[in-house]
């Protein structure tokens, strides 16, 4: 079969592009008899709508065969040419990354409806309120033969749309591509300027209001002075407000914020240096960052919102805190540090990570789309 994988691919940056690349590599490895073709974007976001510094990460490996760069998110003339190219491309199936209704019109116009397709839903509906989000999502997913969701929360969200589309829940696989055996905890801490004895909490990812970084910063005020927080990620919102909280609470000595996009080559340094990874999201469906943390064997503190609770075994591989609650987050962080003293924790986290397999994900996806 000839199968197109539609979505952003490197050099586009971010989690969806990384997911597209990992999925492509896994499918090529597991199904060598089939032809998998990356179908990327010629334009992802128009500059006026993109809050970051750049949509690209120069130097990131692109798909080996280059693939096609056809999808333009906002040019109807490009939609027609993309549709013609895909109609003439001899595709038997399409696998389409879906995460925001902004892309609904371009995808529906560019990808021929006659080709049986699966949508991989990183979010069924967006975190923020978006005009016509429900109608666009229902229209797009209604064209699919299969919709894959990554959490129980998104499963219920997809069911509520009352579509004829088959819905399949598969857990987001592990992100192990950042592992670097040459980087150890000690070398990472030396590089970042942290002592071996410091208790280091890491928040990693784009900083947006719904991710609750403000709550984690406030939680630091209730934690002992030897607990330090490293925030690694470019701010997309509320930068001034977070800095004001840090300053007003007198936490500048204990909190460092690396406010920029972090290239793949640096990811291992931050995760190896950390003791505990905290994702204090106020709302969420699932998290690729949690899957990075598990690949590095890190104990997780997640908030009990959306599908995050499905990623941690409470008291075994991490803890759950209440969203929007600095006191609950602080309590869970303390419990997580206690968990590090248990010699069995490392093995339990490794088993949890191994349960999120790319090979199993690919197998169920292809069998369900066949």
């Amino acid at each position: 079969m000839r199968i197109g994988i539609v979505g952003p691919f490197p050099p586009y940056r971010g989690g969806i592009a990384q997911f597209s690349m990992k999925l492509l590599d896994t499918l090529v490895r597991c199904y060598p008899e089939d032809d998998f073709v990356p179908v990327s974007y010629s334009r992802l976001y128009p500059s006026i709508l993109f809050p970051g510094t750049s949509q690209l990460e120069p130097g990131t490996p692109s798909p080996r065969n280059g693939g096609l760069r056809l999808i333009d998110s906002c040019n109807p003339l490009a939609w027609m040419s993309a549709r013609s190219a895909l109609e003439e491309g001899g595709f038997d199936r399409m696998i389409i990354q879906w995460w925001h209704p902004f892309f609904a019109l371009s995808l529906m116009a560019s990808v021929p409806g006659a080709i049986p397709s699966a949508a991989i839903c990183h979010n069924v509906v967006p975190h923020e309120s978006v005009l016509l989000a429900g109608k666009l999502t229902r229209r797009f997913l209604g064209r699919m033969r299969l919709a894959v969701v990554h959490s129980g929360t998104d499963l219920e969200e997809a069911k509520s749309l009352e579509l004829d589309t088959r819905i399949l829940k598969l857990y987001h696989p592990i992100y192990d591509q950042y592992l670097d055996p040459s980087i150890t905890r000690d070398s990472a801490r030396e590089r970042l300027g942290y002592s071996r004895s410091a208790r280091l909490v890491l928040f990693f990812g784009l900083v947006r209001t719904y991710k609750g970084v403000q709550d984690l910063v406030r939680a630091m005020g209730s934690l002992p002075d030897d607990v330090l927080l490293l925030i690694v990620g470019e701010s997309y919102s509320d930068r001034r407000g977070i800095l004001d909280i840090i300053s007003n609470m007198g936490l500048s000595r204990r909190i460092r914020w690396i406010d920029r996009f972090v290239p793949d080559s640096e990811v291992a340094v931050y995760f190896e240096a950390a003791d505990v990874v905290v994702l204090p999201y106020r709302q969420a469906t699932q998290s690729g960052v949690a899957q990075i943390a598990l690949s590095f064997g890190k104990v997780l503190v997640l908030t009990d919102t959306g599908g995050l609770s499905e990623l941690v075994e409470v008291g075994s591989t991490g803890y759950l805190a209440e969203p929007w609650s600095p006191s609950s987050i602080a309590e869970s962080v303390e419990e997580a540090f206690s968990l590090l003293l248990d010699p069995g924790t490392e093995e339990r986290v490794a088993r949890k990570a191994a349960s999120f397999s790319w090979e199993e994900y690919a197998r169920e996806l292809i069998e369900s789309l066949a």
Side-chain angles (χ1 to χ4, degrees):
M1 280 201 303
R2 183 171 170 83
I3 301 175
I5 302 176
V6 180
F9 281 84
Y12 283 113
R13 70 184 208 184
I16 310 295
Q18 291 293 327
F19 187 99
S20 298
M21 195 69 176
K22 282 288 289 185
L23 179 62
L24 173 65
D25 288 346
T26 304
L27 290 170
V28 168
R29 185 176 69 253
C30 294
Y31 297 91
E33 70 279 7
D34 293 319
D35 183 18
F36 296 96
V37 180
V39 181
S40 191
Y41 283 76
S42 58
R43 174 166 47 179
L44 193 55
Y45 295 100
S47 299
I48 194 171
L49 295 181
F50 185 72
T53 55
S54 174
Q55 299 183 54
L56 303 176
E57 184 179 351
T60 306
S62 299
R64 294 184 186 89
N65 64 356
L68 306 172
R69 297 187 70 225
L70 296 176
I71 312 298
D72 186 314
S73 64
C74 48
N75 182 354
L77 295 178
W79 302 347
M80 291 186 287
S81 61
R83 188 182 191 90
S84 295
L86 294 177
E87 285 175 338
E88 296 168 3
F91 289 97
D92 300 293
R93 298 287 188 274
M94 287 287 179
I95 298 170
I96 305 172
Q97 309 293 347
W98 170 260
W99 71 100
H100 199 287
F102 169 75
F103 299 98
L105 293 179
S106 60
L107 289 171
M108 288 189 290
S110 300
V111 179
I115 303 175
S117 299
I120 295 180
C121 302
H122 298 272
N123 300 303
V124 174
V125 294
H127 299 292
E128 300 89 354
S129 177
V130 176
L131 184 66
L132 299 177
K135 290 183 178 179
L136 289 169
T137 299
R138 188 177 293 107
R139 185 72 178 272
F140 173 77
L141 293 181
R143 291 162 50 100
M144 300 293 107
R145 172 180 289 190
L146 175 70
V148 176
V149 298
H150 290 156
S151 70
T153 299
D154 263 353
L155 178 63
E156 294 307 313
E157 187 77 53
K159 286 181 177 179
S160 73
L161 298 175
E162 298 182 343
L163 305 171
D164 292 331
T165 304
R166 181 188 174 191
I167 303 168
L168 174 67
K169 186 178 85 167
L170 298 175
Y171 285 114
H172 190 308
I174 205 77
Y175 274 151
D176 57 1
Q177 65 267 36
Y178 304 108
L179 296 174
D180 185 343
S182 70
I183 299 174
T184 65
R185 180 180 186 273
D186 287 349
S187 67
R189 289 195 167 208
E190 181 178 1
R191 178 170 166 178
L192 295 173
Y194 290 105
S195 70
R196 293 182 180 181
S197 60
R199 297 199 290 169
L200 185 60
V201 170
L202 173 67
F203 171 90
F204 188 91
L206 296 174
V207 176
R208 303 173 70 176
T209 301
Y210 78 86
K211 292 188 176 182
V213 174
Q214 308 92 320
D215 303 324
L216 176 56
V217 168
R218 290 190 173 98
M220 288 293 293
S222 303
L223 290 165
D225 286 348
D226 67 330
V227 176
L228 307 179
L229 171 60
L230 177 60
I231 302 169
V232 180
E234 185 177 3
S235 174
Y236 275 20
S237 60
D238 205 26
R239 181 178 187 275
R240 185 70 262 163
I242 294 171
L243 291 175
D244 285 345
I245 296 170
I246 294 172
S247 176
N248 293 339
M249 294 185 68
L251 295 171
S252 299
R253 184 182 60 83
R254 295 172 53 205
I255 298 177
R256 183 195 303 184
W257 185 358
I258 298 174
D259 184 5
R260 60 177 173 83
F261 179 80
V262 173
D264 292 354
S265 59
E266 296 181 22
V267 172
V269 174
Y270 300 112
F271 280 90
E272 289 290 359
D275 294 310
V276 174
V277 175
V278 181
L279 303 180
Y281 295 177
R282 292 172 170 179
Q283 63 180 76
T285 52
Q286 45 83 31
S287 170
V289 175
Q291 301 294 7
I292 301 175
L294 286 172
S295 76
F296 281 93
K298 299 303 172 181
V299 169
L300 285 166
V301 172
L302 308 176
T303 44
D304 191 6
T305 182
L308 295 185
S309 63
E310 300 172 62
L311 304 179
V312 65
E313 297 173 13
V314 175
S316 178
T317 65
Y319 285 92
L320 291 174
E322 291 300 315
W324 296 81
S325 174
S327 61
S328 179
I329 293 169
E331 181 180 348
S332 294
V333 169
E334 284 280 39
E335 290 176 321
F337 277 113
S338 297
L339 196 58
L340 293 175
L341 303 176
D342 182 343
T345 297
E346 183 177 355
E347 181 182 349
R348 292 193 299 270
V349 173
R351 284 202 306 268
K352 187 68 174 177
S355 70
F356 300 115
S357 161
W358 277 101
E359 290 74 18
E360 183 64 18
Y361 187 101
R363 183 189 65 78
E364 292 200 44
L365 172 62
I366 293 300
E367 289 182 359
S368 299
L369 185 56

